[in-house]
Amino acid sequence: MLTRRRTAVVALLAALAIGLGACGGSTSGGSTAGGQGSGMQPAQQTVTLRLLTMKQAAYSDQDVQAMAKGFEETHPGVQVDITFVPYESLHDKITADQASGSGVYDVVLIDGMWTGEFARAGFIRDVTDRWTPAMQSGIFESSKDIVRFNGRLYGVPWINDTKFLFYNKQMLAQAGIQQPPKTWEELLADARLLKQKGIVQYPIAWSWAQAEAVICDFGQLMFSEGGHFLDEKNQPAFQTDGGLQALQFMVQTLKDGLSNPHSISYLEDDVRQVFSQGQAAFALNWTYMYALANDPKQSKVAGQVGVVPTPAFSGKPAVGINGGMGLAITKSSAHPDLAWQLIETMSSEPVENKYAALSLPIWKDSYQQQSVIATGPELVQAAESQFARMESRPNVPWYNQMSTELQKDIQSALLMQATPQQALQRAADFTRQLAQQQ
């Protein structure tokens, strides 16, 4: 009798163990310190947090892996498994993962324009109540905007970025240019001089490939002209005034031979490499380019790289496009508390300060820290100015559809297949229909 009862108890415990394992999702059966060889103590299971991020710009793969390793060291029994994908694949990867209802990722990197779409679809969690007072008061408002939707917070900003104007100091000195341009008109005048003197064939490099990259450059120019993507009723506004002038500016620089014609196929890293090879005097790009273009191991112009805030049009205030991104907990995560701890750690001020060389911190106090200033005094000075006034792309649930159509129509204008007016009007008609369907 005793034997039969003991057997039944063992069978029940075994069944419970199997059941717990099946429900554990990303919990593996691997043992950790203190588990094996500890006699009667049960083996501690390893929890695996799965992080989906991008493989370009901002933090390097090595930086992200080092952040994860630091988290693992302070959280025994937790392992962070990282998946890197190109930015262009990130949105669809998140959508496919979460739309299935059985997603595998716990934490995902989101762009500011996707927050509304993912929040409304229920792909990411509302973490407003998890935000600490220090986060509320210490993080830039412009950074908070990228994870905010309908007054709630759906993540924590992790990458704080905007476009800067990079220039080759040696080329400008050869042309007799005393200081970098402060307006787009000055930029064109400097570019013409550099070209006339034969210092560089195509003075300006842009990322105008048919991708989100071209929207960022178009948006930067449009904001500088006082334009907007949408009006207050979420109707298209980019086809007139500032938006139209921005696209006309882009097309004209190609016609004048001031912009590298290959810009229409460049992403941001192509621009970095062209500039780093000494084939451009000016380039618009994100923060990460400063450190890499000044690295003699991968740049022929190291030591000659200057950076200033993006120019304004004459008589208009300088405005930066918000290129920040944030970390969010997925709805499918079986470990939301641990996922939050990972996000808290990776976005903390000490961690962001430590890896500031390729992505500037989201924390206001960081810009007074010598360790951050030392990563690039020119860059930090430009950032302080530009971060004070940034504008974001629309955070509407149908942004991605609007952007995809706008990318195609901008490309048709850059290829001279349509006038800027025709191209933007097509995109505006499509956007108007999108807005009406919501």
Side-chain angles (χ1 to χ4, degrees), residues 140-162:
F140 283 106
E141 284 301 317
S142 57
S143 293
K144 294 178 190 173
D145 285 344
I146 64 177
V147 294
R148 188 155 36 206
F149 180 64
N150 284 345
R152 305 293 292 178
L153 298 165
Y154 288 85
V156 178
W158 183 46
I159 296 169
N160 190 16
D161 218 341
T162 186

Side-chain angles (χ1 to χ4, degrees), residues 316-434:
K316 303 285 178 66
V319 179
I321 188 167
N322 193 340
M325 300 179 75
L327 296 172
I329 305 172
T330 62
K331 193 71 172 178
S332 65
S333 174
H335 310 287
D337 292 338
L338 275 176
W340 174 254
Q341 290 173 35
L342 176 63
I343 291 174
E344 249 189 330
T345 299
M346 293 180 70
S347 62
S348 67
E349 186 173 347
V351 171
E352 293 232 330
N353 290 354
K354 183 177 180 180
Y355 297 100
L358 295 180
S359 182
L360 290 170
I362 58 172
W363 298 88
K364 290 178 278 190
D365 285 349
S366 296
Y367 295 81
Q368 308 305 317
Q369 302 299 318
Q370 192 55 42
S371 62
V372 173
I373 295 171
T375 62
E378 281 182 272
L379 178 64
V380 172
Q381 185 178 8
E384 278 191 301
S385 168
Q386 192 130 331
F387 286 164
R389 186 180 174 88
M390 292 210 291
E391 296 225 17
S392 300
R393 287 158 283 173
N395 187 1
V396 291
W398 37 272
Y399 174 83
N400 230 40
Q401 294 166 271
M402 180 190 81
S403 174
T404 300
E405 184 67 19
L406 185 54
Q407 293 164 26
K408 186 177 67 177
D409 289 319
I410 289 176
Q411 189 79 2
S412 71
L414 297 177
L415 290 169
M416 318 295 172
Q417 296 170 346
T419 67
Q421 292 92 335
Q422 292 169 337
L424 293 179
Q425 190 56 55
R426 277 204 303 258
D429 291 343
F430 178 84
T431 302
R432 198 171 290 109
Q433 292 176 11
L434 264 182

Side-chain angles (χ1 to χ4, degrees), residues 285-307:
N285 215 333
W286 307 111
T287 300
Y288 86 110
M289 178 165 141
Y290 185 73
L292 299 185
N294 270 315
D295 180 356
K297 294 179 181 176
Q298 48 187 319
S299 173
K300 293 181 179 178
V301 300
Q304 297 300 326
V305 182
V307 59

Side-chain angles (χ1 to χ4, degrees), residues 1-18:
M1 184 67 178
L2 183 61
T3 301
R4 289 175 59 187
R5 288 176 60 186
R6 181 176 295 164
T7 301
V9 169
V10 169
L12 176 60
L13 290 174
L16 284 171
I18 293 170

Side-chain angles (χ1 to χ4, degrees), residues 184-185 187-189 191-192 195 202-204 206 208 218 221 243-261 263-264 313 410 412-416 418-421:
W184 292 114
E185 291 85 351
L187 174 74
L188 295 184
R192 286 193 186 92
K195 190 175 180 72
Y202 299 114
I204 316 171
W206 311 80
W208 290 351
F218 169 74
L221 288 162
L244 179 57
Q245 291 168 32
L247 188 52
Q248 288 171 333
F249 177 95
M250 295 162 73
V251 170
Q252 193 61 47
T253 65
L254 287 171
K255 289 180 176 177
D256 292 345
L258 301 179
S259 290
N260 189 315
S263 293
I264 60 174
F313 282 104
I410 289 176
S412 71
L414 297 177
L415 290 169
M416 318 295 172
T419 67
Q421 292 92 335

Side-chain angles (χ1 to χ4, degrees), residues 20-97:
L20 286 171
C23 295
S26 55
T27 303
S28 70
S31 61
T32 59
Q36 287 184 333
S38 55
M40 298 299 291
Q41 294 182 2
Q44 183 181 347
Q45 291 186 318
T46 298
V47 173
T48 300
L49 290 177
R50 294 190 167 85
L51 166 65
L52 176 64
T53 184
M54 67 174 178
K55 188 180 180 60
Q56 65 197 60
Y59 301 115
S60 67
D61 294 5
Q62 293 75 20
D63 285 354
V64 179
Q65 287 162 346
M67 290 181 194
K69 185 178 180 182
F71 177 78
E72 290 172 344
E73 289 172 354
T74 56
H75 294 75
V78 181
Q79 175 182 319
V80 182
D81 182 74
I82 309 171
T83 299
F84 294 95
V85 297
Y87 172 86
E88 286 71 28
S89 304
L90 187 59
H91 173 276
D92 291 351
K93 186 87 171 175
I94 296 170
T95 301
D97 181 67

